[in-house]
Amino acid sequence: MTEALLTKKIANKNAVIGIIGMGYVGIPLGIEFAQNGFEVLGFDTDEDKVNDINSGKQIIKHISTKKMKGFIGNGGKATSEFNQLKTVDCILMCVPTPLDIYEQPDMSFVERATTSISQNLKKGQLIVLESTTYPGTTKEIIKPILEKSGLVAGKDFFLAYSPEREDPGNKEFSVSKIPKVIGGLTP
């Protein structure tokens, strides 16, 4: 898929959005995309969480059962089958980056998610890191792992960073109202 075709699919809301990490960042993003007409496939390694999401259960305190059921009703669903990454057009990585004993982000979740993407990467996909991390993560960690697929960033797939912007429970600033900054590997 070319950049022009991907852009058109996004503009027409025909792009399928994949979100890795269905937690306090991934779920609100998934709900927002689904409410705005996109098909959303959420990925998580926790099978119980996947089942709860697919049954519309409230799993995050500030996100009601009604919103979760709305997510499902608007075309959202969750899976633990990472081979389904091949079926999405855009992949948002919303995995944890907890601090280690040296106060540095633990990048193991990002590395595992990126490896799963690399094993299922197809031409024309957009991959966006949303997890909180330090400058250079996209180029220094994610890009080399994705390019192990044989595809080249900026040519065969698109790569960007957009740090998570969550304010859990703040009714005045939902995902759709919080400004986002996006930095792409290419224009």
Side-chain angles (χ1 to χ4, degrees), residues 43-72:
F43 295 85
D44 206 284
T45 57
D46 183 338
E47 191 68 42
D48 291 333
K49 183 189 287 185
V50 166
N51 292 334
D52 287 347
I53 291 169
N54 287 333
S55 65
K57 287 187 181 175
Q58 179 179 10
I59 61 172
I60 295 178
K61 185 178 179 181
H62 68 280
I63 299 176
S64 68
T65 300
K66 182 179 177 183
K67 282 193 174 196
M68 293 303 295
K69 288 185 185 283
F71 170 67
I72 301 303

Side-chain angles (χ1 to χ4, degrees), residues 133-154:
T133 186
Y134 51 84
T137 300
T138 308
K139 282 187 194 176
E140 296 166 11
I141 294 176
I142 295 174
K143 181 178 177 276
I145 294 171
L146 293 177
E147 288 183 338
K148 287 181 181 178
S149 68
L151 300 177
V152 177

Side-chain angles (χ1 to χ4, degrees), residues 94-131:
C94 303
V95 296
T97 51
L99 297 180
D100 65 17
I101 61 171
Y102 304 106
E103 301 291 319
Q104 299 297 312
D106 174 355
M107 300 307 293
S108 63
F109 295 98
V110 170
E111 290 168 353
R112 282 196 300 271
T114 304
T115 298
S116 292
I117 295 168
S118 181
Q119 292 167 347
N120 296 285
L121 189 62
K122 67 178 185 179
K123 282 189 174 189
Q125 284 180 311
L126 168 64
I127 294 88
V128 181
L129 175 63
E130 296 266 344
S131 303

